[in-house]
Structure formats: C-alpha cells, structure tokens
Amino acid sequence: MRATTLRRRDSTPLAELSRLAPSAKRTTLVRVGLAVALAGVLALAVSSARSAGSGRAAVLPSGATTGVVVLDMSASIAGPVYERVATLLKGIVSANQAIGLVMFSDVAYELLPPNSPPGALLDFLRFFHPQSIAHGAPIFGKTPWDQFSGGTRIAGGLLQGEAALKRAGVKHGAILLVSDLDDSSADLEPLYAASLRLKKEHIPVRIVPLFADPDNVQIFQSLFGANAFVDPRAFTHRAGRQVQSVAARTPWTLLGLGLLLVLLLAANERLNTRVEIGATA
C-alpha cells in the first residue's frame, strides 16, 4: 500500500525559494493595500451617491437637508406667473430634492409633508403649464384650488411651513416662500411675528418673488434680509447667457470617486494578475 504524499507531481522544484520571500511579501502588501483602497472608495461612492442630487436644490440655503415650498395661491397668482412656478418645481424635481408643499391664500394647508419624494411634485406641475395659446397669451385650465383662492395672508403660510417641518422631525429644514408678496395690510403684524418666530427657531427662509412690487420686496427684505431672495435670473432662459440653476449642482465628488474606483480596479487587474509560466509575450 502506497502512503499519501504532499508533494505535487506537477510542481517545479526551486533551489533558492527563500529569495522569493521579499517579492511575495511585497505582492501581498500591494494586494491588501488595493483591497483596502477599493473598499474605502466604494464606501465613499455609495455615501456620495445617496446625497448626489438630493442634498440641496440651489434655491434652498446652504446646510438645509430638506425644505417646504410655501406657495401663494391667492387670486393675484395666475396666468404668466404660473410659468415661473413651473420652472421652480421642475428645478426641484430635476435636482431630486426631497421637499414638502404648503399652499395658502386666506388660509394655509399642507399638501405634501417634508421629505416627500420630488416626483410627488409632478402631480401638481401639470396645473402650471398652459393648455393652449390664444392671441400670443397662454391659457391655463382650472385648478383644484381655484375655489379656495382669495386674499393673501403670508404669515399663515410661513407658520404652516414651520409646523410641517416640526411634525416631520426635520432639524435642518428651510422654508421656500413663493409669492408675489402682495400681502394683506391686516397681515403685517402677524407677518412680523412670524419672521421673529422663524429666526428664533433657526429656520431659514428663501423667497422667490413672483414679479413682486418693489415696495413689497423692501418689506420682506427688512424682515428676512436681502440674501433671502432667489436671483430672478435663475428663471430666465436666454441663449448665450449664463444663469443660476434652480436645480442642484453637478455631483463632481461622485464623478471623481467613480473615476478613482475605475483606476483602482485597473491597477488591481494589472498588478495582481497571476503569472502564467511559459506564456508567450
């Protein structure tokens, strides 16, 4: 009976195997280093992908993880003004920005809670597109809120936006007020109180003026600051003119990590490929 042996019949005997130890150690270190680098870059890429295009649309302030659009639907908001509203909503959807929606006129009501998927805005976007053009002017159809449109009480809309953020447990949220700022004279004192309350709660407010009167703009500048206003050029579309986007910026970090991941994979294939003895060059 023949005993089992550990010697492989097709192995190649080496006289000085110890001389290969440094090379083997170096190869092991390269493999381990590439494995750690690949795992680290992949983890960063996954983390960046989660926030790419969903961290902050350009119309929200820096540091805001989500927001509530507080949209003025009073009787003075109609017709061509809808085009700017449509551009804003499309920008938020394109940026994949989680968002909430509050509409107001005399009273305010929440339609979407904060952190709602941006695609939910598409259900409302169709009401802000013209159904036809007559004599060069866009014709808009009736909306579900036409019967509720009346006077303007912006304070109620802002406070409803604040309440929506609190109900959702949002810690770093913001309010995006979209209005012509033509507030009721009876609402000025509540508006002042609401601005103080939002400052105390550290809830930033950005304002998209819908062709607002300069006098009304000054009132809101005194309450929320000039920096609260979104540049109107963000809503213009002229060839050859560079404008601010209402959507999120290009995710350069994610693109850079993707490129680095590809390079590391190529290096892994180049450096860690098995050597085939007898292979032709």
Side-chain angles (χ1 to χ4, degrees):
M1 184 174 179
R2 193 172 180 180
T4 304
T5 178
L6 295 177
R7 177 179 293 180
R8 295 177 56 185
R9 293 182 180 181
D10 58 347
S11 61
T12 302
L14 294 174
E16 299 182 6
L17 184 61
S18 60
R19 294 181 60 182
L20 296 178
S23 297
K25 184 177 181 180
R26 183 171 59 252
T27 300
T28 300
L29 290 175
V30 170
R31 287 180 175 177
V32 172
L34 281 173
V36 171
L38 281 167
V41 172
L42 182 59
L44 289 173
V46 171
S47 177
S48 180
R50 288 179 177 178
S51 61
S54 61
R56 179 178 67 89
V59 289
L60 292 181
S62 178
T65 57
T66 186
V68 176
V69 176
V70 177
L71 182 57
D72 186 350
M73 294 309 302
S74 57
S76 58
I77 305 298
V81 177
Y82 277 2
E83 295 179 11
R84 177 164 290 187
V85 175
T87 302
L88 169 70
L89 297 182
K90 285 189 290 186
I92 292 174
V93 172
S94 298
N96 198 26
Q97 170 70 63
I99 205 74
L101 178 63
V102 167
M103 289 185 178
F104 72 94
S105 55
D106 296 279
V107 295
Y109 38 97
E110 179 182 346
L111 285 87
L112 295 174
N115 287 320
S116 293
L121 288 177
L122 294 176
D123 293 332
F124 301 92
L125 188 58
R126 57 192 175 95
F127 295 111
F128 297 97
H129 284 297
Q131 293 184 343
S132 61
I133 304 294
H135 305 291
I139 304 299
F140 294 85
K142 291 186 176 297
T143 67
W145 48 82
D146 281 345
Q147 57 183 323
F148 301 107
S149 296
T152 308
R153 293 185 178 271
I154 297 177
L158 294 173
L159 294 178
Q160 186 65 250
E162 179 208 13
L165 290 172
K166 286 189 174 182
R167 279 193 296 269
V170 176
K171 294 183 178 180
H172 302 287
I175 290 176
L176 182 63
L177 174 63
V178 185
S179 171
D180 62 359
L181 307 181
D182 188 16
D183 203 8
S184 168
S185 57
D187 193 49
L188 293 180
E189 187 173 339
L191 178 63
Y192 177 74
S195 68
L196 293 178
R197 179 180 177 88
L198 293 172
K199 289 178 182 178
K200 181 179 178 180
E201 297 293 332
H202 303 288
I203 298 177
V205 175
R206 295 293 300 276
I207 301 173
V208 177
L210 299 177
F211 308 101
D213 184 272
D215 291 336
N216 293 328
V217 170
Q218 288 185 358
I219 293 175
F220 281 81
Q221 282 182 345
S222 66
L223 293 175
F224 299 100
N227 293 333
F229 284 80
V230 176
D231 192 337
R233 291 178 300 171
F235 303 95
T236 60
H237 302 278
R238 297 180 183 176
R241 180 177 177 182
Q242 184 177 3
V243 298
Q244 175 189 355
S245 172
V246 297
R249 296 179 179 178
T250 303
W252 294 112
T253 300
L254 178 60
L255 294 176
L257 289 172
L259 177 60
L260 181 57
L261 187 61
V262 171
L263 293 176
L264 287 172
L265 288 171
N268 182 68
E269 291 297 316
R270 176 68 179 85
L271 299 176
N272 292 331
T273 302
R274 286 182 176 274
V275 176
E276 297 183 6
I277 298 176
T280 58

